[in-house]
Amino acid sequence: MSTLPDVFTDPEDSQLVADAKKDKPEDHEFSYTERDVILYNLGIGATAKDLQWTYESHEEFAALPTFGVIPQFAASSGISLGWLPNFNPAKLLHGEQYLAIRSPIPTEGNFVNETRLLEVLDKGKAASVTTIVYTKDIATGNVIFENQITVFIRGAGGFGGKRSGRDRGAATAVNIPPKRQPDAVIEEKTSASQAALYRLSGDYNPLHIDPSFAAIGGFDQPILHGLCFMGIAGKHVLQSFGAYKDIKVRFSGVVFPGETLVTEMWKTGSKVIFSTKTKERGTTVLAAAAVTLIDTDMMAKL
């Protein structure tokens, strides 16, 4: 049974970071049912025509692969960052997300999340903090998902320690699109109620529903969850190239519910590099993004 080490030690860490890494968060249990799977799938744009994603009695009923961000969400969001100098949660930005699907995704079950601080970088005027979460099936002990979540906290730098992160393979790959036309392009218009629906999968941040909170954040209207449009783009890659074993994105812009997402994809070997932008504003919202494709016959044997 795979498990995370108690501490991800790094000789380059400052004492502040080394001490923070020793503060081992409690494991967090999470259960979900077929209803939760359907609700998530609907939240990232599945429709009644997609019976394999929206009808529990369909013979190929399944969670879309990016469902893996859901069981870990409360665990990673609950990790303490108060030890950072000048920490202000209002200045926290979700920078990157990496998800690896380690085992076939159950459509229901009971799970436990192990969470650790993986890497902390001093960017001068900001801090970059990466958390790693293993989501395990309690019944089998198997790791189903691995998530690495990187957040940037403006104004919280200057504490000393390393400035550049180490290479963690697919989780940190730069994923520069080739200089050629994409191999596939999918457009999808989001619903004006997309954020209102997606938030029911567990992210109740009022920034995504309450105009007054959005205004405090400097937005004219509530914005769509980053993990929602990551899921929509992940669905586009799945529809175009098939199953994948991991996905990594950098959040580079905001999406307003009702906008049209355009995902451009380039296949390079076993990897599909992709970029997502809003059609209406031309703003790139997902960059440095890619999946690693998997042999579905091999997955079926796991």
Side-chain angles (χ1 to χ4, degrees):
M1 184 172 70
S2 184
T3 190
L4 288 171
D6 283 346
V7 181
F8 283 91
T9 56
D10 189 321
E12 294 183 63
D13 283 340
S14 67
Q15 192 60 48
L16 178 77
V17 172
D19 290 344
K21 285 184 172 181
K22 292 174 186 174
D23 186 10
K24 178 181 169 184
E26 290 186 11
D27 290 349
H28 181 275
E29 293 191 4
F30 186 91
S31 300
Y32 65 81
T33 66
E34 292 175 337
R35 179 184 184 277
D36 299 306
V37 169
I38 293 170
L39 188 62
Y40 173 80
N41 290 347
L42 290 169
I44 60 168
T47 71
K49 294 180 180 179
D50 304 311
L51 291 181
Q52 74 275 28
W53 297 326
T54 55
Y55 179 40
E56 70 283 355
S57 294
H58 190 276
E59 60 183 11
E60 296 182 3
F61 175 64
L64 281 153
T66 50
F67 179 78
V69 303
I70 298 300
Q72 64 82 38
F73 183 78
S76 62
S77 301
I79 199 163
S80 172
L81 297 176
W83 51 271
L84 284 167
N86 304 313
F87 173 67
N88 181 347
K91 294 186 176 182
L92 184 149
L93 299 171
H94 191 173
E96 297 186 353
Q97 186 87 20
Y98 170 76
L99 164 67
I101 299 127
R102 297 285 203 89
S103 302
I105 304 174
T107 53
E108 59 186 357
N110 301 305
F111 306 86
V112 63
N113 293 290
E114 294 181 356
T115 308
R116 304 285 189 275
L117 274 179
L118 177 60
E119 188 170 70
V120 181
L121 305 178
D122 182 353
K123 294 293 189 178
K125 294 182 178 180
S128 170
V129 179
T130 300
T131 302
I132 186 169
V133 184
Y134 274 8
T135 301
K136 296 181 180 179
D137 188 323
I138 291 176
T140 65
N142 290 337
V143 177
I144 309 298
F145 304 117
E146 173 192 337
N147 278 269
Q148 294 182 28
I149 308 96
T150 299
V151 296
F152 296 97
I153 305 94
R154 292 167 292 168
F159 50 85
K162 58 192 293 185
R163 296 181 64 91
S164 299
R166 62 181 177 85
D167 183 351
R168 300 194 302 275
T172 54
V174 293
N175 299 324
I176 299 170
K179 294 186 182 302
R180 57 178 168 85
Q181 290 297 306
D183 299 312
V185 181
I186 291 185
E187 288 189 14
E188 181 171 344
K189 183 173 173 56
T190 63
S191 160
S193 298
Q194 201 81 52
L197 177 59
Y198 183 84
R199 68 191 299 270
L200 299 180
S201 287
D203 183 350
Y204 294 104
N205 187 335
L207 176 67
H208 305 295
I209 191 74
D210 187 334
S212 63
F213 271 84
I216 293 170
F219 302 108
D220 295 335
Q221 65 186 86
I223 61 174
L224 192 58
H225 306 72
L227 290 177
C228 178
F229 56 86
M230 169 187 165
I232 293 171
K235 173 164 59 77
H236 294 164
V237 179
L238 180 71
Q239 290 168 320
S240 301
F241 295 99
Y244 47 84
K245 62 182 180 180
D246 62 34
I247 179 170
K248 178 254 183 177
V249 303
R250 175 178 298 154
F251 301 104
S252 56
V254 300
V255 175
F256 296 105
E259 288 190 307
T260 303
L261 295 174
V262 180
T263 303
E264 298 177 319
M265 297 162 265
W266 296 262
K267 187 174 186 296
T268 58
S270 62
K271 179 182 279 194
V272 176
I273 295 173
F274 67 95
S275 175
T276 302
K277 63 184 177 183
T278 60
K279 184 176 183 179
E280 291 80 4
R281 291 178 292 123
T283 300
T284 298
V285 296
L286 294 175
V291 308
T292 306
L293 298 173
I294 190 167
D295 183 328
T296 51
D297 293 335
M298 287 178 59
M299 195 69 173
K301 295 174 184 177
L302 289 177

